[in-house]
Amino acid sequence: MRSIWNGAISFGLVSIPVKLINATESHSVSFRQIHTEDGGRIRYRKVCELEDREVGQDEIGKAYEDADGSMIPITDEDLARLPVPTARTIEIVAFVPEERVDPLQMGSAYYLAASGAPAAKPYTLLREALVRSNRVAIAKFALRGRERLGMLRVVGDAIAMHGLLWPDEVRAPEVVAPDAGVTVRDQELDLADALMATLGEIDLDDLHDEYREALEEVIAAKAAGETPPQAPEAAPSGKVLDLMAALENSVRVARESRGGETSGPAEEAEVRMLPRRGASSRWTPKETGGKKSTSTAAKKTAAKKTTAKKTAAKEADGRKATEKKPAAKKPTAKKGAAKSAQPAKRSAARSTAEKATGAGKSTGERSTGAGKSTARKTASRKRSA
């Protein structure tokens, strides 16, 4: 592997000569631009605007464009003389727990290789110190014309460095977060947990770039004069109308892909209508309370009706007794005897009937029975009168 930078790690007063090597490589398939009519290559040429001619790489330098459009030349010697201690040094400034570093800040990754035999001992010392402390080193270094921030950590037997963005280069996430008024139900969280458990873990070494592999097959087929392979038709999927159905189908598909059993058909999605917000926590108490209030209202209504009937019967008896006072004075003895005998018999009959049926009747039925007994009393008084 070719080094892209040579310098030293500054670890206090200890200096460790190192080489910077890219830790990653791109396997992306690159394309060239061509003229579609004849397949001719399209190239970009570097042309001087003042002389209107193409210039070579050895004639090209750097410059800073000022606000008024004028160019201020900057040479490699100017950059080399910058009063920055990190020009050729990776200067460690702190040691912090790895979780303190936001992954959003991480950029390019590099390996730091010990440069020569004298660097082996201090290199190993720094590596073991990082392992024992379970921390990472935060450092500053200069690369490609600007000072950068880096994080040093141990990978196997080597020290790796991740280029970090400066904290003010990371945008705040508030502008992309959803509204705070969105709520998630417990049932949806349970299904999400089930989906996560079904997907489980995976060895990252088993993952590969399927797009690149398919693209390489197309290129190989066209180079051989064959028909490129066609993409398989996507399996029909049911239309999902709510989040619960999407989660349930996701759990089912994940179980199928891992050879698990499923409890429903794979052709159609399960569709559910979303309930009103908070309905699951409010409907049940309202049903129970509604039944109780209905029963109480019925009892109160029955009681009011019974009282009204009794009051009406008494008023009617009073009016009739007032109208027939002269006729009622003659059979006083017979009336008294009938009153003393008949009510006693009716009272005994009513008490026996109430004992037999009172336990199974509701308050409304007892009230109705009381109304009937009042009607019988009224009829008896009429006959006696």
Side-chain angles (χ1 to χ4, degrees):
M1 292 183 288
R2 186 175 62 88
S3 64
I4 62 173
W5 181 90
N6 292 329
I9 299 175
S10 175
F11 180 29
L13 297 178
V14 178
S15 181
I16 310 172
V18 293
K19 297 178 180 180
L20 196 65
I21 301 170
N22 281 320
T24 61
E25 58 185 1
S26 176
H27 292 164
S28 298
V29 178
S30 60
F31 297 98
R32 302 294 185 185
Q33 290 184 333
I34 62 170
H35 188 198
T36 55
E37 292 185 2
D38 53 19
R41 176 83 179 273
I42 303 297
R43 296 181 182 272
Y44 292 97
R45 303 182 185 275
K46 297 179 180 180
V47 178
C48 175
E49 292 182 353
L50 296 179
E51 298 182 7
D52 194 20
R53 69 177 181 87
E54 186 178 354
V55 295
Q57 186 63 35
D58 57 341
E59 299 180 81
I60 299 175
K62 301 181 182 70
Y64 174 79
E65 185 177 3
D66 206 353
D68 58 358
S70 60
M71 297 295 177
I72 304 173
I74 302 295
T75 64
D76 292 339
E77 290 76 15
D78 295 332
L79 297 176
R81 289 194 296 266
L82 285 175
V84 179
T86 58
R88 283 292 171 185
T89 305
I90 299 173
E91 182 184 4
I92 296 177
V93 296
F95 292 89
V96 298
E98 188 172 356
E99 56 268 18
R100 286 272 303 276
V101 180
D102 190 343
L104 286 174
Q105 292 182 253
M106 293 187 180
S108 302
Y110 309 94
Y111 285 132
L112 297 174
S115 181
K121 182 68 177 286
Y123 185 97
T124 304
L125 173 65
L126 176 59
R127 182 190 66 196
E128 296 304 318
L130 290 173
V131 172
R132 174 183 286 188
S133 65
N134 197 24
R135 291 171 177 251
V136 296
I138 303 299
K140 290 182 178 181
F141 66 102
L143 182 65
R144 298 189 179 95
R146 71 185 186 93
E147 189 175 54
R148 302 167 185 255
L149 196 62
M151 179 188 76
L152 277 64
R153 69 184 184 96
V154 177
V155 178
D157 293 333
I159 298 176
M161 182 174 69
H162 296 269
L164 300 179
L165 298 173
W166 296 99
D168 59 356
E169 293 179 319
V170 179
R171 294 176 176 174
E174 285 78 7
V175 294
V176 297
D179 296 336
V182 178
T183 57
V184 179
R185 295 181 294 162
D186 291 338
Q187 297 91 329
E188 295 166 343
L189 284 174
D190 293 340
L191 281 173
D193 291 340
L195 178 58
M196 293 169 64
T198 304
L199 292 175
E201 298 182 0
I202 192 172
D203 188 355
L204 295 180
D205 293 334
D206 295 336
L207 300 177
H208 55 278
D209 190 349
E210 297 181 1
Y211 178 85
R212 177 175 59 86
E213 293 175 354
L215 184 57
E216 289 174 348
E217 291 180 4
V218 171
I219 294 172
K222 297 198 75 171
E226 301 174 356
T227 303
Q230 300 294 324
E233 295 183 2
S237 58
K239 185 178 179 181
V240 177
L241 299 185
D242 61 42
L243 182 58
M244 290 291 289
L247 289 170
E248 289 173 350
N249 284 316
S250 299
V251 173
R252 175 177 53 79
V253 171
R255 286 175 179 168
E256 287 178 355
S257 64
R258 281 158 175 73
E261 295 181 355
T262 58
S263 57
E267 291 79 10
E268 297 182 358
E270 181 179 351
V271 179
R272 295 186 180 187
M273 297 303 294
L274 284 172
R276 289 175 291 179
R277 180 175 294 179
S280 58
S281 60
R282 293 198 295 261
W283 284 353
T284 303
K286 280 193 173 183
E287 286 180 3
T288 306
K291 289 180 180 179
K292 288 184 178 179
S293 62
T294 304
S295 176
T296 306
K299 291 178 181 178
K300 289 181 179 179
T301 305
K304 286 180 181 180
K305 288 182 179 180
T306 304
T307 306
K309 287 180 180 180
K310 288 182 179 180
T311 305
K314 286 181 180 179
E315 290 178 356
D317 291 345
R319 286 196 301 270
K320 289 180 180 180
T322 305
E323 293 172 357
K324 297 183 180 181
K325 271 185 180 180
K329 285 182 180 179
K330 294 179 180 180
T332 305
K334 291 181 181 180
K335 183 178 179 180
K339 282 184 178 180
S340 60
Q342 290 178 2
K345 291 180 181 179
R346 286 195 299 269
S347 176
R350 280 197 307 272
S351 62
T352 303
E354 286 176 358
K355 286 180 181 180
T357 61
K361 291 184 177 180
S362 63
T363 307
E365 292 173 346
R366 289 197 297 270
S367 301
T368 306
K372 290 181 178 180
S373 64
T374 306
R376 290 194 192 102
K377 286 183 180 180
T378 305
S380 174
R381 287 174 183 171
K382 285 181 180 181
R383 287 195 301 270
S384 298

